[in-house]
Amino acid sequence: MTDTNTHSDTLIIGGGLAGIATALRLVESGQKVTVVETRKRLGGRATSFEDPTTDDLLDNCQHVLLRCCTNLIDLYQRLGMANQIQWHKTFYFCNNTGHIDVMQSDDLPAPTHLTSSMMGFKGMSWSEKFAISKGMLAVMKLGIEGRKKWHHRSFADWLKEHKQPAGAIQKFWACVTISALNEQPQNMAADYALQVFQEAFCANSDAYQMGLPLVPLVKLYDSAQEKIEKSGGQVRLRTSAHKLLFEDGKITGLKTGDGNILTADHYVCTVPFDRCAKLCNDAMLKADSRLKPLGQFGVSPIIGIHIWFSHVVMNLPHMALTQSPLHWIFNKDTDGAGWQHLHGVISAADDLVSLSADQIKDMVVEEMRKVLPKVGTLEPVQYRVVKEKRATFRLSPGIDDIRPGPTGAIDNLILAGDWTDSGWPATMEGAARSGYRAAGAILNQGDNLLIPNLPDDLLYEFITG
């Protein structure tokens, strides 16, 4: 039945980052919106869960942002949560012998700001550092248009063409891109890998800085519901979207799992591509070319493991492992009993996701022993493995051929989500950008709601021409 009290200016399907970003920009422009979300809190995949054994809120995986994520930072500011992001200017890279190299910026302008620290890396040979330097210069000289020409080839192809040795790939190029893009170099579109280095490492001296939330992820989004409802809108939690209703070339309603029909002038679908496909009928697929490739997207998994030791085994705030199946360790601090909580992350985990939780725990502890001497013979007092089997869409060469834009033939159906054409890979920044693009489409502002990139340093502009 039609719920006559719920007609909105815009109905947003999905309360993840893209849905929140869309909603906030619309309500700030005076729109009445309704957000439909299956979960009991907003946040989508970048969220937290309650550990049934301890009642603690645990993040499903450690999500990070960089200073170059201008739209995500803007979203946190609109949520009043920017002060809950702690920024790190120092990165710690650890090789398989436990040696730690430190990367941090000096006072030189980009792209030279990280050169002195990277040249001091003891875990790399001089030939590897020289090859990386030549590679980074090639990255810069490509520019935006040059990198786009590599979209249909893999990053492994680019590395081979630029004669990068195996050690440089393992200790630097792959270390960065696997974590950033959740894909192996041989399987990722080269232009997105190149974008990471251009925008995060080369163009601006602050762009590389890493932000880590000080609170569980889900708490970053709590204020969104209040802002939406204060504007006269609604947030319908624990409400599943069942089917979009389509008639005379337009969406006429959303049927929910409880049988209600919600109506609006515009409908924004922010759920993942596979869920979006289930909401559409055959007539919609024929009417709008954006919807036809929804079944062609692949997925890439991430494994997170929360692990507690009986005393402090790691003093650094985080550590990137360069020669290990375990890619990151984050220090989540100690509790009242003195137990230290560490969070390990394994990206592009296709080969490991089928392992049992015990097998993953054993592997992670063994890798931690190699880089954290204080672990020694200790066994964890507690652990929790989280498998995100569909964590991100697969960033394959040519993926932009099927990533849809916000608007199409069904003019009151707007698409958003990190898998849509945001100009970014599968990241929280990509999700925020897609939400701002969706709001811009509804408000007839195009991409004017997007937050500009950080300005390029003058030296980088000179080098890139």
Side-chain angles (χ1 to χ4, degrees):
M1 61 180 179
T2 301
D3 193 332
T4 56
N5 296 319
T6 61
H7 186 86
S8 305
D9 296 318
T10 299
L11 189 149
I12 300 168
I13 306 168
L17 273 173
I20 293 170
T22 306
L24 289 189
R25 299 309 295 265
L26 290 177
V27 299
E28 289 168 2
S29 297
Q31 282 221 348
K32 176 184 174 183
V33 306
T34 295
V35 178
V36 174
E37 169 56 46
T38 303
R39 295 176 173 90
K40 61 182 180 180
R41 294 175 79 168
L42 297 177
R45 288 170 293 158
T47 190
S48 314
F49 65 95
E50 191 172 280
D51 186 344
T53 61
T54 65
D55 295 329
D56 291 334
L57 276 177
L58 301 178
D59 292 342
N60 57 353
C61 191
Q62 180 67 60
H63 289 261
V64 306
L65 64 154
L66 301 179
R67 285 279 188 192
C68 59
C69 298
T70 54
N71 291 272
L72 182 60
I73 293 170
D74 178 79
L75 178 59
Y76 287 150
Q77 290 171 342
R78 293 174 191 276
L79 289 167
M81 299 301 291
N83 62 346
Q84 296 301 316
I85 304 298
Q86 184 179 63
W87 291 98
H88 297 257
K89 299 180 179 181
T90 303
F91 284 40
Y92 303 92
F93 291 85
C94 189
N95 66 13
N96 58 1
T97 67
H99 176 80
I100 296 173
D101 285 310
V102 177
M103 185 181 78
Q104 58 187 359
S105 176
D106 54 28
D107 294 330
L108 294 174
T112 59
H113 58 302
L114 300 173
T115 303
S116 61
S117 65
M118 290 196 66
M119 287 296 105
F121 275 26
K122 303 297 184 183
M124 293 182 189
S125 68
W126 278 105
S127 62
E128 290 167 348
K129 286 184 275 192
F130 180 68
I132 292 170
S133 298
K134 287 182 65 178
M136 290 295 279
L137 183 59
V139 169
M140 289 184 277
K141 288 185 174 180
L142 270 176
I144 296 175
E145 293 306 314
R147 80 175 186 230
K148 288 181 178 179
K149 294 177 182 178
W150 278 88
H151 178 65
H152 288 85
R153 298 181 64 185
S154 74
F155 187 47
D157 289 339
W158 187 92
L159 293 168
K160 182 178 180 180
E161 188 163 310
H162 289 80
K163 298 180 172 56
Q164 294 299 302
I169 294 172
Q170 188 178 39
K171 299 171 190 176
F172 178 67
W173 300 107
C175 179
V176 171
T177 54
I178 292 173
S179 297
L181 305 181
N182 194 33
E183 189 56 274
Q184 297 291 338
Q186 65 270 24
N187 298 325
M188 67 177 64
D191 61 327
Y192 283 113
L194 296 166
Q195 181 180 8
V196 169
F197 292 106
Q198 286 179 344
E199 298 193 14
F201 286 83
C202 296
N204 182 287
S205 58
D206 294 329
Y208 80 100
Q209 296 176 19
M210 179 172 66
L212 300 177
L214 294 171
V215 296
L217 285 171
V218 71
K219 292 190 175 183
L220 292 175
Y221 319 119
D222 283 345
S223 66
Q225 182 170 352
E226 180 183 358
K227 290 178 182 293
I228 292 166
E229 292 175 344
K230 276 189 174 181
S231 72
Q234 295 186 66
V235 176
R236 293 196 165 209
L237 300 173
R238 296 179 175 174
T239 301
S240 61
H242 178 66
K243 212 72 177 175
L244 284 166
L245 306 180
F246 181 61
E247 187 177 346
D248 296 330
K250 288 185 176 295
I251 305 300
T252 58
L254 172 71
K255 186 175 182 180
T256 61
D258 56 12
N260 282 323
I261 296 174
L262 310 181
T263 61
D265 298 329
H266 289 92
Y267 299 79
V268 183
C269 186
T270 75
V271 295
F273 49 87
D274 52 336
R275 285 287 300 123
C276 181
K278 291 178 181 179
L279 296 175
C280 302
N281 60 29
D282 289 342
M284 292 174 61
L285 299 181
K286 292 178 182 178
D288 197 323
S289 60
R290 294 176 300 163
L291 306 176
K292 293 177 183 177
L294 292 177
Q296 298 178 31
F297 285 84
V299 294
S300 189
I302 295 176
I303 297 173
I305 178 169
H306 295 271
I307 195 163
W308 289 261
F309 289 100
S310 58
H311 57 268
V312 174
V313 298
M314 178 176 171
N315 295 316
L316 297 176
H318 56 261
M319 182 185 294
L321 281 61
T322 62
Q323 296 169 291
S324 170
L326 177 65
H327 298 127
W328 281 87
I329 306 172
F330 293 92
N331 183 350
K332 308 295 281 187
D333 215 344
T334 55
D335 62 16
W339 290 8
Q340 184 173 34
H341 177 193
L342 303 180
H343 192 173
V345 178
I346 304 170
S347 299
D350 299 82
D351 296 336
L352 301 175
V353 75
S354 62
L355 297 180
S356 68
D358 283 344
Q359 289 173 317
I360 292 170
K361 180 265 295 182
D362 291 342
M363 182 272 289
V364 167
V365 171
E366 188 59 33
E367 293 302 310
M368 287 182 172
R369 289 193 175 108
K370 295 175 184 178
V371 298
L372 299 174
K374 291 183 181 179
V375 173
T377 59
L378 285 177
E379 289 293 332
V381 292
Q382 184 175 307
Y383 73 93
R384 172 74 62 179
V385 172
V386 180
K387 297 180 181 180
E388 294 282 345
K389 295 182 180 180
R390 305 178 69 83
T392 64
F393 71 92
R394 195 172 291 281
L395 205 68
S396 307
I399 188 66
D400 283 357
D401 296 344
I402 62 172
R403 292 179 78 180
T407 59
I410 303 175
D411 60 13
N412 70 335
L413 175 63
I414 313 298
L415 300 182
D418 64 2
W419 57 278
T420 63
D421 181 13
S422 69
W424 269 62
T427 57
M428 294 191 295
E429 170 70 7
R433 287 175 63 92
S434 76
Y436 285 5
R437 290 195 77 198
I442 292 169
L443 298 172
N444 295 315
Q445 295 194 43
D447 287 343
N448 291 331
L449 297 186
L450 290 176
I451 306 303
N453 292 342
L454 293 175
D456 293 347
D457 284 5
L458 292 177
L459 180 57
Y460 180 76
E461 286 186 347
F462 175 77
I463 292 172
T464 59

